[in-house]
Amino acid sequence: MTRCTLQRVPAPSTPMPKTFFITTAIDYTNSAPHIGHSYEKVLADVIARYHRLKGDKVFFLTGVDQHGQKVQQSAEKQGVPPEQFVAGVTEQFIALWDKLDVRYDAWAATTDPLHKKCVQGMLERLWDEKQIYKDKQAGYYSVRQEQFLTDKERGANGEFGLEWGQVEFREEENYYFKLEQHKQWLLSYIDSRKEAVIPDFRQTELRNAVEKLSGDLCISRPKSRLDWGIELPFDKDFVNYVWFDALTNYISFADYDPKIDKYEKQSQQFLDRWPALQIIGKDILIPAHGIYWLIMLHAISFPDEAMPQLLVHGWWNISGAKISKSAGNVVDPNALADKYSAEALRYYLMSDLATGKDSDFSQERLIERYNSDLANALGNLLNRTLNMLGKYRNQQLKFARSETPTGEGGIFDPFEGFEGSHGLVNLGDERVAKLSNALRAHAGMFGAHLISSGIADVSEYVTSCNQLVDNAAPWKLATDKGKHRDLDAVLYHLTESLRIIAILISPVLPRAAHGIFDQLNWK
Ligand code: MSP
């Protein structure tokens, strides 16, 4: 007997799939987290979970911004070293993300030695290339706001307003980054790339601001005034001030090496991740991310195709007013999550603020959305389906083969493994169309980061399933032997719909989705 030896055929070499890299703003550790911080992190988490669901490799980076004047002052006020002060606030952020099920892959804390090394390497390089210079500034200085003032800050009477506190004339030497020389490049980059900034009205706002750009960026503070920062590698009497420290986190924690000057020579790990989709609030688009950050990257030779995409969200307000400690209207997300559950809070934040727009925060709305969408619509659908299955079919689902396969999963396929059979027999084309429309709309909206619209599409489908129960009246079908096949089809379709709904909603409500899977006994 001849023996045949099986030889392994080498798999065709497929290019490494690109990682979906998502970042948020790093939260300032001067004070405790509030609802605005939570919105942004949950939004990023939902988008990251959606991509994981699609099968993408995801790298989700978030963290904390720990240096700066205000942190130093707050620490002094409490009589503790700044390290200790930021450690305490950082812990609050970490605990909150844990409570809200925000599942990130890496944590960017700006006091991390790895980050400091990257910031210093980048500054050194720009200094060597003469893109940073030292200059003397003289002018009116607000001690309270820690900044030089220009004539723009004068009121109608020509004086500086009370908001600036004590204003004095000062002369100070500092380091400057040559920002303005990149103005034309930035304009042409914005013009050449559709969706460089989302939504597009923010891209227009940015373009208008760049048109007005003049002057360079002061990047230092003398240590005599501020020492809670990263020391300049070329002058130990100064620390870096704000943006080179905060913004650089997006690359320092993604394995960027500033010593390698050619972009394409960076590590495979970095090239596989970068560029990122960066989620930020509307207040830090101009000038921080839209001008400073893009120019910083361009200045260290990032090609245009490696510029990050900026997803700019609106703000949560309280009765139209900005949330702030001084206004005394800060809403504590911990208390809300404890009272109503993390899922209820996630759902409210994601469904009641259309990505890009502003919204008013209200506990009444949170309760209303929870009751109407989750308890009354989805919860009700689940309960009545399970009850009917118990009552009429002893918990046993009868497989009813569909004549109309509906494998319309969009990018990912929630039907996978079910052979395109969804108990749609006898239910007609309308149900098939409703289900495929919901799937298509969901993929389109979540794919475009329009989470509240994607949620609305799923809600609509849930409503249609509840209507199906009312119209098909399974309790009547159960009494008529000749209609038992229809009864099986309805129950199969409802159960299968619930399974799919749970998959679709799982990025927003991971726990509730798993609860549904468990109740359906679906592994
Ligand atoms: N540390 C800087 C960002 C540096 S990124 C390199 C910062 N921190 S922050 O704590 O003030 O804000 C963090 C994020 O929360 C920002 O994107 C900001 O827009 C967002 N929000 C702060 N208040 C908000 C609301 N009221 N509503 C929604 N998001 C808001 O800025």
Side-chain angles (χ1 to χ4, degrees):
M1 203 169 76
T2 26
R3 282 236 176 128
C4 103
T5 323
L6 282 179
Q7 270 190 349
R8 215 176 246 277
V9 180
S13 69
T14 41
M16 255 235 302
K18 229 100 170 97
T19 297
F20 177 78
F21 181 15
I22 184 164
T23 70
T24 70
I26 45 172
D27 294 305
Y28 199 41
T29 45
N30 184 41
S31 52
H34 62 61
I35 205 76
H37 302 117
S38 310
Y39 166 72
E40 184 175 285
K41 278 39 181 194
V42 173
L43 175 63
D45 182 61
V46 169
I47 298 175
R49 283 175 188 267
Y50 170 70
H51 281 269
R52 287 191 199 108
L53 193 61
K54 267 175 56 184
D56 292 344
K57 201 157 51 128
V58 172
F59 182 64
F60 169 18
L61 175 71
T62 191
V64 278
D65 188 358
Q66 297 169 308
H67 290 125
Q69 192 79 44
K70 291 203 176 118
V71 169
Q72 182 169 309
Q73 284 165 349
S74 301
E76 270 161 20
K77 244 192 237 159
Q78 281 196 11
V80 294
E83 293 86 337
Q84 193 179 324
F85 179 81
V86 293
V89 182
T90 298
E91 247 172 53
Q92 295 184 40
F93 277 101
I94 292 177
L96 178 62
W97 304 151
D98 190 37
K99 186 179 272 187
L100 296 185
D101 284 322
V102 173
R103 191 148 50 95
Y104 44 84
D105 300 295
W107 183 247
T110 53
T111 49
D112 191 317
L114 170 146
H115 174 70
K116 286 187 186 174
K117 207 171 138 206
C118 187
V119 171
Q120 289 182 324
M122 208 163 137
L123 290 169
E124 185 130 51
R125 178 164 154 194
L126 292 169
W127 173 250
D128 291 344
E129 291 172 2
K130 309 221 167 354
Q131 297 204 59
I132 289 176
Y133 62 94
K134 196 175 188 185
D135 201 5
K136 190 182 269 174
Q137 191 178 10
Y140 288 97
Y141 184 85
S142 156
V143 178
R144 183 177 182 184
Q145 300 295 344
E146 292 284 339
Q147 70 179 77
F148 278 97
L149 304 175
T150 66
D151 284 342
K152 273 193 286 181
E153 275 87 42
R154 289 182 193 274
N157 59 0
E159 301 291 321
F160 295 111
L162 290 176
E163 71 275 21
W164 300 108
Q166 183 194 343
V167 174
E168 60 188 36
F169 192 82
R170 264 201 197 180
E171 256 191 1
E172 191 171 281
E173 280 203 303
N174 265 310
Y175 288 87
Y176 292 82
F177 168 54
K178 291 184 181 167
L179 194 72
E180 200 182 336
Q181 65 177 8
H182 299 291
K183 177 174 169 174
Q184 280 316 316
W185 165 76
L186 185 52
L187 282 172
S188 66
Y189 164 70
I190 294 172
D191 289 342
S192 68
R193 179 164 174 198
K194 217 173 152 250
E195 299 201 326
V197 182
I198 323 171
D200 56 4
F201 73 92
R202 296 280 178 212
Q203 181 149 342
T204 311
E205 269 176 27
L206 174 62
R207 198 191 186 287
N208 293 340
V210 180
E211 287 274 12
K212 293 190 201 107
L213 174 65
S214 76
D216 291 333
L217 176 66
C218 181
I219 59 152
S220 68
R221 288 290 184 269
K223 272 195 186 163
S224 53
R225 197 141 78 71
L226 170 73
D227 62 6
W228 182 236
I230 299 178
E231 189 178 284
L232 294 189
F234 39 82
D235 192 336
K236 61 179 176 25
D237 292 333
F238 287 81
V239 293
N240 170 249
Y241 187 63
V242 185
W243 293 115
F244 265 89
D245 179 349
L247 293 160
T248 304
N249 91 84
Y250 301 130
I251 52 176
S252 62
F253 291 96
D255 204 37
Y256 177 76
D257 182 352
K259 298 263 182 284
I260 302 172
D261 55 356
K262 285 221 163 42
Y263 178 82
E264 48 307 339
K265 293 268 157 59
Q266 288 292 325
S267 71
Q268 200 47 50
Q269 169 111 297
F270 179 76
L271 294 174
D272 171 42
R273 288 174 178 160
W274 192 260
L277 170 73
Q278 304 206 242
I279 303 190
I280 54 169
K282 63 179 185 178
D283 57 318
I284 51 174
L285 171 66
I286 301 167
H289 286 77
I291 300 181
Y292 302 161
W293 179 225
L294 297 183
I295 289 184
M296 279 161 64
L297 291 173
H298 176 68
I300 53 166
S301 314
F302 275 51
D304 287 9
E305 45 306 347
M307 289 297 141
Q309 191 179 32
L310 304 175
L311 173 60
V312 184
H313 63 78
W315 268 38
W316 284 96
N317 298 320
I318 307 269
S319 311
K322 190 173 161 180
I323 301 176
S324 79
K325 232 173 28 180
S326 50
N329 61 1
V330 171
V331 182
D332 177 12
N334 278 292
L336 289 173
D338 291 342
K339 190 163 176 191
Y340 303 107
S341 84
E343 297 272 281
L345 181 56
R346 285 175 67 101
Y347 187 77
Y348 171 63
L349 290 174
M350 289 302 101
S351 57
D352 229 36
L353 190 150
T355 312
K357 307 228 173 80
D358 285 355
S359 190
D360 246 359
F361 183 85
S362 108
Q363 284 203 43
E364 290 73 41
R365 284 285 297 157
L366 187 157
I367 299 167
E368 191 186 310
R369 288 220 75 126
Y370 184 80
N371 285 340
S372 68
D373 296 6
L374 298 183
N376 295 343
L378 183 55
N380 190 28
L381 178 66
L382 179 66
N383 289 337
R384 62 209 298 216
T385 304
L386 292 173
N387 283 341
M388 290 188 293
L389 264 173
K391 201 160 163 195
Y392 308 130
R393 282 294 176 260
N394 200 21
Q395 315 281 13
Q396 295 299 310
L397 199 57
K398 265 230 181 111
F399 186 76
R401 180 166 282 279
S402 163
E403 269 120 41
T404 331
T406 56
E408 274 274 7
I411 320 169
F412 66 95
D413 188 1
F415 293 133
E416 213 176 84
F418 273 70
E419 298 172 13
S421 307
H422 314 296
L424 291 163
V425 68
N426 297 343
L427 296 182
D429 289 347
E430 196 203 345
R431 292 304 310 165
V432 179
K434 277 207 160 64
L435 184 51
S436 19
N437 285 347
L439 286 166
R440 208 174 302 119
H442 176 276
M445 293 306 172
F446 272 64
H449 325 305
L450 300 170
I451 307 302
S452 64
S453 308
I455 291 176
D457 292 320
V458 179
S459 281
E460 208 177 292
Y461 185 68
V462 172
T463 306
S464 83
C465 288
N466 273 318
Q467 277 162 359
L468 172 71
V469 179
D470 299 340
N471 297 340
W475 45 93
K476 285 190 195 148
L477 302 177
T479 58
D480 181 346
K481 263 224 145 104
K483 294 270 168 71
H484 278 193
R485 193 165 156 72
D486 289 351
L487 176 65
D488 286 331
V490 171
L491 293 179
Y492 192 95
H493 177 67
L494 291 174
T495 314
E496 180 63 338
S497 290
L498 275 162
R499 184 185 72 87
I500 293 168
I501 290 164
I503 294 175
L504 299 182
I505 207 70
S506 65
V508 181
L509 300 171
R511 289 186 203 198
H514 280 277
I516 296 177
F517 297 149
D518 287 346
Q519 297 215 55
L520 297 179
N521 202 14
W522 184 63
K523 300 280 177 279

